[in-house]
Amino acid sequence: MQQHDGQWREYRPYVSPTDPCPPILIKWYIVPPNQYITFQPMNWPQFSLDEALRKGTLWPPLFSPYSPPSESKEVGSYG
């Protein structure tokens, strides 16, 4: 999670005093970059074709890396 930290958001869920489970105080989620890009501008920079196939997109502003749960945020990475 070294890259694209601007895509991560956090929230603090309600913690019930009667909940028997240990609370997760902070939960994390990712906001995909396409939520903020409403149209495709002309002359956008592009990855090379090989790199685009590896990353799953032709345009760097739409790239959002996937981190397996073992590499995600420390607390509350599952939801």
Side-chain angles (χ1 to χ4, degrees), residues 1-63:
M1 224 240 340
Q2 309 77 348
Q3 304 172 347
H4 305 281
D5 283 346
Q7 294 177 8
W8 283 93
R9 305 288 189 271
E10 70 177 45
Y11 69 97
R12 298 172 191 283
Y14 173 74
V15 177
S16 172
T18 60
D19 190 351
C21 300
I24 297 177
L25 301 177
I26 300 174
K27 292 191 175 189
W28 299 89
Y29 63 97
I30 293 179
V31 178
N34 65 348
Q35 298 296 309
Y36 297 106
I37 300 172
T38 56
F39 65 96
Q40 178 183 334
M42 292 178 59
N43 301 320
W44 244 12
Q46 297 181 352
F47 288 127
S48 68
L49 293 179
D50 290 337
E51 190 173 9
L53 286 171
R54 280 193 304 275
K55 295 191 175 199
T57 183
L58 184 57
W59 299 283
L62 292 178
F63 176 62

